């Protein structure tokens, strides 16, 4: 099987994340806000994602018509929303949670996919692909597909309807409000 830097990036991030959670679990669970989890995501996960390119794909045709300020605000609001909504789920992450499968694509072709299996707490295994863009050793995740369902396409469908009805500004405000209103870890 051909080697691919993306596999190493995903596997390395998973190992770093599992180690950080294991060593800081008490701190992360006792935080009264999302700051410690957000910092963990900022440090270990965000550098492996191209949030701008992912956001552009989500907004599709609305990206080109948006002002630079609205684009920047959407990228930040969407990232904050994802961290606030899903960040505390990371506390369940363990070394055995994610298994990276052998690469079966062309490492010179971008985008490329890192195939993984994520094991949920109940033992259910879910096929998850990390879609990455890059070259050489510099690859970034732009989409995640769980059981064939793309998070980019899912949010694009949701936001397209909302943008058509109420405008991009209303979607950004909704993301900002949702991110600000999520309860602290362990209080849901």
């Amino acid at each position: 099987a051909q080697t691919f830097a993306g596999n190493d990036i995903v596997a390395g991030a998973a190992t770093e994340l599992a180690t950080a959670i294991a060593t800081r679990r008490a701190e992360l669970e006792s935080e009264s806000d999302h700051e410690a989890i957000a910092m963990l995501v900022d440090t270990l996960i965000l550098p492996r994602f191209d949030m701008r390119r992912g956001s552009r794909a989500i907004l599709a045709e609305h990206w080109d018509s948006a002002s630079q300020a609205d684009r920047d605000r959407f990228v930040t609001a969407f990232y904050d929303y994802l961290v606030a909504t899903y960040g505390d789920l990371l506390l369940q992450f363990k070394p055995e949670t994610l298994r990276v499968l052998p690469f079966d694509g062309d490492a010179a072709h971008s985008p490329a996919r890192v195939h993984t299996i994520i094991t949920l707490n109940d033992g259910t295994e879910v096929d998850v692909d990390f879609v990455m863009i890059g070259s050489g050793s510099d690859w970034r995740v732009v989409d995640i597909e769980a059981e064939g369902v793309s998070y980019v396409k899912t949010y694009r469908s949701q936001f397209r309807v909302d943008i058509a009805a109420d405008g991009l500004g209303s979607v950004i405000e909704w993301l900002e409000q949702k991110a600000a209103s999520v309860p602290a870890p362990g209080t849901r």
Side-chain angles (χ1 to χ4, degrees):
Q2 187 178 19
T3 60
F4 172 50
N7 277 39
D8 297 336
I9 291 166
V10 171
T15 299
E16 289 178 29
L17 182 62
T19 301
I21 290 168
T23 58
R24 298 177 54 199
R25 182 169 303 283
E27 169 199 353
L28 294 169
E29 288 176 344
S30 68
E31 280 292 315
S32 60
D33 60 64
H34 290 278
E35 185 127 353
I37 291 172
M39 288 178 64
L40 189 68
V41 172
D42 288 349
T43 305
L44 298 180
I45 297 175
L46 180 60
R48 279 111 172 151
F49 277 75
D50 187 335
M51 288 301 298
R52 188 161 199 82
R53 189 169 286 196
S55 294
R56 181 182 186 140
I58 289 167
L59 289 181
E61 70 274 7
H62 301 291
W63 180 268
D64 292 333
S65 61
S67 69
Q68 185 64 45
D70 279 347
R71 291 176 187 170
D72 293 344
R73 192 169 157 218
F74 178 84
V75 171
T76 300
F78 186 62
Y79 172 73
D80 291 345
Y81 165 79
L82 292 175
V83 172
T85 304
Y86 302 108
D88 63 331
L89 294 175
L90 293 175
L91 295 175
Q92 299 172 22
F93 195 83
K94 300 173 185 84
E96 64 275 8
T97 299
L98 183 134
R99 186 171 73 243
V100 177
L101 302 176
F103 182 67
D104 64 359
D106 179 353
H109 182 261
S110 179
R113 293 174 177 274
V114 175
H115 301 294
T116 70
I117 295 176
I118 294 182
T119 304
L120 305 179
N121 285 342
D122 68 0
T124 302
E125 292 186 340
V126 179
D127 293 326
V128 176
D129 286 354
F130 292 85
V131 180
M132 302 183 83
I133 292 182
S135 63
S137 63
D138 184 24
W139 290 82
R140 303 264 187 264
V141 176
V142 293
D143 194 7
I144 299 172
E145 294 181 2
E147 297 291 334
V149 178
S150 158
Y151 101 95
V152 165
K153 290 178 184 174
T154 300
Y155 281 111
R156 182 187 306 148
S157 294
Q158 176 185 341
F159 294 155
R160 182 175 276 151
V161 170
D162 297 336
I163 291 169
D166 301 314
L168 178 58
S170 70
V171 170
I172 295 169
E173 288 172 14
W174 180 85
L175 290 167
E176 290 169 340
Q177 290 169 359
K178 287 294 184 184
S181 68
V182 172
T187 62
R188 288 187 192 193

